[in-house]
């Protein structure tokens, strides 16, 4: 039988606000326990929640970016459950009228294929506190610093059909929320978490199978592995004639398997009802118009522009738009390069900039685990280097040495070229003299070449480049060498 | 009202009920449900559900940190707190 797996993701995105969703306590990560816990967060009697305008703005901004309907009137609801890290006995969430309705996100897979992922809704809610099980012997410690932190929960339709599709979608949401400044997307700090609903069925036309939910997997790699494991587990069970029990499962990264956490019989009964402490959130058209006007060019539109206007390859275009900071770097470098150049030259300059940014610069940043914002070589400086390749002052090969010098803080491209004496030799007189010496030095090879051994030519070019420590213009060396051998 | 419903509700609310309390609650809930079923007979087609009795729309606050560290005050209020953490019976799933 050929099984089809069906996956839906629930992504919790922590909104980039300074204060909490319903209180003026700080949301900064890593503070001492309960030092960012207000009376509201601790659910003291008599306190009332007041919604954070910025959280509403960020949620609506995300909604507009996925072409979703934004609710003009959305209502907070209480989701009732008892757990010590949720001191009210309920979580304030949204149920029937979420702020963001149905939307769609185009997703590009690694193999270049494109899928459209349907997003069912995204609702505003508050995060719970943290339970620490290993601080005390026989007791659990509760830190409410995170309680009340604003989240949006982004719920996809069950429309993903492989672990690969699920991860590509997850990455695209991650890219988008960071691009928009909706979230810092820091997975290690829990700002971006994902639950995966996984089921399998005998074929694409069969009804959906019973699903299991895999909770809180906090890296892209583990999401992929957890889903792959879960698909295999369910198929094996079904082929053995077992039935799948609807349950929540935890992924154990160390053992690469999922295990049951709790069954869903009772737990699902959250008894949602509108929160009487909170009047509806009203959003008018004027507010949305303002948001639309402030919407930056989105990564996908930008990648398309790079391909159509700058004629970059899809690989370069998508690589450069992985993050807004990287893309801004490219834009600034290109703008410096293109100044005073006719537009017909822009694609060639863009290609050079893309190669340098996705090549040398990316690997230098990677070596130091340094974000692009903290690059040791500024976009204008990189443009200065590329200009020197473009005007034949240096070869592409020498440029790598110049780049290393710039990265090491030796100054701009021109300063490094001068200080290290790397200017390319284009003076044909000097090159002729050097080739003359070379031919005298290797008479045997010259004879062989003249007898028809074409391989020798590359050897002689190599010797010429070596003699000038790479500084001779390769095109001129080729041309003069051939002329003088001929 | 079914006993199983009472037990389920008690379980969801994490309450342990004595048999007497259970009987009393069953009576009270029965009356409440009677009232609700009366309300349910009202024709509300075309009426927008009311989420809040007074305000038309929520007043939003600016995203400013206004609260300071209250951990000492919380410690005075909490029955059991240590190293800045509220101590509760062990909960592990």
């Amino acid at each position: 039988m050929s099984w089809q797996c069906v996956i839906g993701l629930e992504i919790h995105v922590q909104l980039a606000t300074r204060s909490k969703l319903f209180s003026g306590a700080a949301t900064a990560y890593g503070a001492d326990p309960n030092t960012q816990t207000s009376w509201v967060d601790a659910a003291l009697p008599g306190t009332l929640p007041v919604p954070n305008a910025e959280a509403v703005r960020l949620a609506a901004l995300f909604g507009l970016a996925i072409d979703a309907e934004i609710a003009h009137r959305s209502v907070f609801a209480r989701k009732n459950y008892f757990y010590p890290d949720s001191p009210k006995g309920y979580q304030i969430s949204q149920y029937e009228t979420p702020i963001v309705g149905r939307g769609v996100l185009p997703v590009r897979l690694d193999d270049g294929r494109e899928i459209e992922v349907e997003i069912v809704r995204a609702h505003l809610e508050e995060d719970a506190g943290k339970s620490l099980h290993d601080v005390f012997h026989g007791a659990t410690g509760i830190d409410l610093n995170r309680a009340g932190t604003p989240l949006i929960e982004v719920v996809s339709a069950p429309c993903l059909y492989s672990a690969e599709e699920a991860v590509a979608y997850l990455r695209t949401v991650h890219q988008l929320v960071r691009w928009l400044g909706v979230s810092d997307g820091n997975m290690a700090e829990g700002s971006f978490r994902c639950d995966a609903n996984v089921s399998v069925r005998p074929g694409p036309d069969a009804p959906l199978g019973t699903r299991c939910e895999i909770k809180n997997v906090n890296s892209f790699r583990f999401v992929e592995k957890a889903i792959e494991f879960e698909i295999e587990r369910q198929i094996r069970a079904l082929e053995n004639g077992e039935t799948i029990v609807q349950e929540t499962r935890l992924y154990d990264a160390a053992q690469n398997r999922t295990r049951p956490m709790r069954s869903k019989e009772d737990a699902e009964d959250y008894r949602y009802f509108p929160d009487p402490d909170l009047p509806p959130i009203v959003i008018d058209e004027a507010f949305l118009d303002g948001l639309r006007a402030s919407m930056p060019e989105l990564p996908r539109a930008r990648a398309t522009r790079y391909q159509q206007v700058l004629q970059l390859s899809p690989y370069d275009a998508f690589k450069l738009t992985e993050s807004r900071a990287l893309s801004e770097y490219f834009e600034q470098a290109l703008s410096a390069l293109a100044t005073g150049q006719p537009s017909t030259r822009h694609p060639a300059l863009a290609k050079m900039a893309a190669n340098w940014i996705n090549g040398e610069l990316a690997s230098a940043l990677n070596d130091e685990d340094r974000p692009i914002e903290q690059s040791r070589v500024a976009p204008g400086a990189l443009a200065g280097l590329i200009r020197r390749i473009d005007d034949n002052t240096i070869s592409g090969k020498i440029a790598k040495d110049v780049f290393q010098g710039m990265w090491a803080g030796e100054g701009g491209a021109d300063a490094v070229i001068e200080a290290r004496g790397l200017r390319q030799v284009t003076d044909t007189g000097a090159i002729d003299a050097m080739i003359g010496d070379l031919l005298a030095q290797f008479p045997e090879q010259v004879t062989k070449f003249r007898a028809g051994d074409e391989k020798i030519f590359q050897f002689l070019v190599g010797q010429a480049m070596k003699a000038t420590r790479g500084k001779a213009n390769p095109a001129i060396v080729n041309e003069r060498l051939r002329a003088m051998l001929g | 009202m079914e006993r199983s419903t009472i037990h389920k509700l008690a379980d969801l609310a994490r309450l342990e009920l004595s048999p007497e309390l259970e009987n009393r609650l069953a009576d009270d809930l029965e009356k409440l449900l009677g009232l609700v079923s009366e309300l349910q007979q009202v024709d509300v087609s075309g009426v927008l559900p009311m989420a809040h009795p007074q305000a038309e729309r929520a007043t939003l606050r600016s995203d400013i940190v206004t609260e300071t560290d209250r951990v000492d005050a919380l410690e005075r209020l909490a029955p059991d707190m240590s190293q800045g953490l509220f101590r509760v019976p062990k909960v592990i799933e």
Side-chain angles (χ1 to χ4, degrees):
Chain A
M1 184 160 343
S2 92
W3 296 94
Q4 184 192 44
C5 68
V6 182
I7 303 154
L9 297 187
E10 292 167 15
I11 308 172
H12 286 93
V13 182
Q14 182 179 323
L15 299 176
T17 59
R18 292 188 196 90
S19 67
K20 294 190 180 174
L21 183 51
F22 298 114
S23 84
T27 54
Y29 180 82
D32 286 339
N34 288 308
T35 54
Q36 292 174 175
T37 302
S38 74
W39 305 145
V40 172
D41 307 326
L44 294 192
T47 57
L48 278 175
V50 185
N52 183 337
E54 178 66 1
V56 172
R57 187 186 74 84
L58 294 174
L61 187 67
F62 174 78
L64 291 177
I66 58 162
D67 271 326
E69 189 93 350
I70 309 298
H72 286 104
R73 191 173 169 282
S74 73
V75 173
F76 284 110
R78 292 186 180 181
K79 179 180 181 180
N80 298 281
Y81 66 93
F82 280 100
Y83 207 73
D85 57 21
S86 175
K88 293 191 293 295
Y90 57 85
Q91 176 193 24
I92 305 178
S93 181
Q94 296 190 306
Y95 190 55
E96 282 174 336
T97 49
I99 183 163
V100 176
R102 209 166 274 275
V104 67
L105 188 65
V107 171
R108 182 178 188 267
L109 305 178
D110 283 345
D111 62 10
R113 199 155 55 86
E114 300 234 350
I115 54 172
E116 295 229 310
V117 178
E118 189 192 331
I119 291 170
V120 179
R121 59 187 280 158
H123 58 258
L124 265 171
E125 64 182 23
E126 57 175 351
D127 207 345
K130 256 185 201 150
S131 298
L132 303 159
H133 301 294
D134 44 14
V135 179
F136 305 120
H137 185 72
T140 293
I142 302 292
D143 175 7
L144 296 178
N145 280 350
R146 202 180 62 185
T149 298
L151 308 174
I152 46 172
E153 181 177 330
V154 182
V155 183
S156 84
C159 63
L160 300 156
Y161 300 106
S162 66
E164 186 208 352
E165 286 187 10
V167 171
Y169 161 68
L170 190 65
R171 283 185 190 279
T172 308
V173 174
H174 188 250
Q175 171 201 37
L176 182 61
V177 295
R178 292 182 64 219
W179 190 281
L180 293 169
V182 160
S183 173
D184 67 18
N186 190 324
M187 295 178 98
E189 293 178 2
S191 302
F192 192 85
R193 330 195 272 270
C194 162
D195 303 339
N197 286 299
V198 179
S199 66
V200 298
R201 58 180 171 185
D205 300 322
L208 287 176
T210 304
R211 67 171 194 265
C212 290
E213 183 179 14
I214 312 168
K215 273 278 177 204
N216 271 338
V217 200
N218 63 357
S219 85
F220 293 117
R221 199 163 64 88
F222 288 158
V223 169
E224 187 157 12
K225 290 187 137 201
I227 293 173
E228 277 168 359
F229 174 88
E230 185 59 20
I231 293 168
E232 281 305 309
R233 184 190 73 84
Q234 291 186 19
I235 291 175
R236 247 194 334 266
L238 291 169
E239 288 186 341
N240 287 338
E242 298 162 32
T243 49
I244 303 295
V245 187
Q246 184 175 343
E247 63 187 355
T248 302
R249 299 178 69 88
L250 271 184
Y251 177 67
D252 182 339
Q255 296 188 45
N256 185 31
R257 64 189 194 97
T258 64
R259 58 184 164 79
M261 185 166 131
R262 56 170 183 245
S263 88
K264 282 237 154 180
E265 294 163 49
D266 260 6
E268 277 291 72
D269 199 347
Y270 291 126
R271 293 147 293 142
Y272 284 96
F273 64 88
D275 191 327
D277 285 346
L278 286 156
I281 301 285
V282 175
I283 292 178
D284 54 31
E285 259 325 294
F287 177 78
L288 292 180
D289 285 342
L291 281 185
R292 285 188 191 101
S294 74
M295 184 72 74
E297 184 182 30
L298 295 178
R300 189 184 161 78
R302 190 167 276 190
T304 306
R305 176 165 65 81
Y306 286 174
Q307 291 172 75
Q308 288 176 352
V309 180
L310 299 175
Q311 292 162 34
L312 288 179
S313 68
Y315 172 84
D316 280 335
F318 282 99
K319 198 86 190 146
L320 289 170
T321 48
E322 268 178 5
S323 80
R324 192 162 167 189
L326 180 65
S327 175
E328 295 301 328
Y329 187 103
F330 170 73
E331 299 266 320
Q332 286 171 31
L334 181 62
S335 142
L337 270 177
T339 306
Q341 299 275 356
S343 63
T344 47
R345 290 223 62 223
H346 291 181
L349 295 169
K351 179 63 189 161
M352 284 171 97
N355 286 348
W356 275 88
I357 291 169
N358 290 337
E360 291 301 298
L361 181 69
S363 82
L365 290 167
N366 195 39
D367 286 346
E368 294 181 16
D369 203 11
R370 185 178 276 273
I372 184 85
E373 296 90 326
Q374 290 165 29
S375 170
R376 294 181 187 276
V377 173
L382 185 70
L385 172 63
I386 295 171
R387 209 175 289 121
R388 290 296 164 261
I389 308 168
D390 193 45
D391 68 12
N392 284 323
T393 305
I394 50 172
S395 69
K397 192 158 180 292
I398 289 288
K400 294 188 178 180
D401 295 339
V402 178
F403 179 82
Q404 292 310 325
M406 293 165 73
W407 189 262
E410 292 170 24
D414 289 338
V416 176
I417 292 166
E418 285 312 315
R420 294 191 177 191
L422 295 174
R423 186 173 289 278
Q424 183 160 268
V425 181
T426 52
D427 172 2
T428 43
I431 289 176
D432 281 358
M434 181 266 295
I435 291 176
D437 288 348
L438 207 63
L439 300 186
Q441 209 182 326
F442 296 102
E444 213 173 296
Q445 282 80 357
V446 172
T447 315
K448 274 188 187 167
F449 175 79
R450 286 180 174 145
D453 188 349
E454 183 64 26
K455 282 201 305 288
I456 295 294
F457 188 74
Q458 278 319 313
F459 165 79
L460 291 171
V461 171
Q463 290 301 319
M465 296 310 286
K466 197 172 156 194
T468 56
R469 287 184 297 131
K471 288 187 291 182
N473 178 304
I476 298 175
V477 168
N478 266 275
E479 187 210 310
R480 295 307 305 152
L481 191 59
R482 218 166 261 288
M484 290 170 72
L485 281 167
Chain B
M1 162 166 259
E2 301 272 347
R3 283 296 142 143
S4 60
T5 313
I6 304 255
H7 292 154
K8 190 180 173 212
L9 287 174
D11 191 44
L12 285 169
R14 300 290 186 272
L15 292 175
E16 194 179 281
L17 303 177
S18 64
E20 303 84 68
L21 192 55
E22 197 177 300
N23 286 334
R24 218 171 71 214
L25 272 175
D27 287 347
D28 287 352
L29 285 170
E30 202 73 58
K31 284 178 201 151
L32 277 170
L33 287 177
L35 176 69
V36 170
S37 70
E38 213 172 304
L39 287 172
Q40 277 176 331
Q41 287 162 24
V42 181
D43 180 13
V44 291
S45 53
V47 179
L48 208 64
M50 182 181 67
H52 199 271
Q54 295 131 6
E56 276 290 295
R57 60 192 290 173
T59 306
L60 306 181
R61 24 169 279 278
S62 302
D63 182 28
I64 298 167
V65 175
T66 52
E67 298 296 319
T68 48
D69 177 2
R70 311 275 185 112
V71 74
D72 292 337
L74 289 168
E75 184 144 20
R76 285 194 295 278
L77 289 166
D80 191 0
M81 205 167 177
S82 170
Q83 299 170 46
L85 296 164
F86 298 103
R87 278 168 62 106
V88 299
K90 193 108 187 159
V91 271
I92 284 245
E93 295 198 66

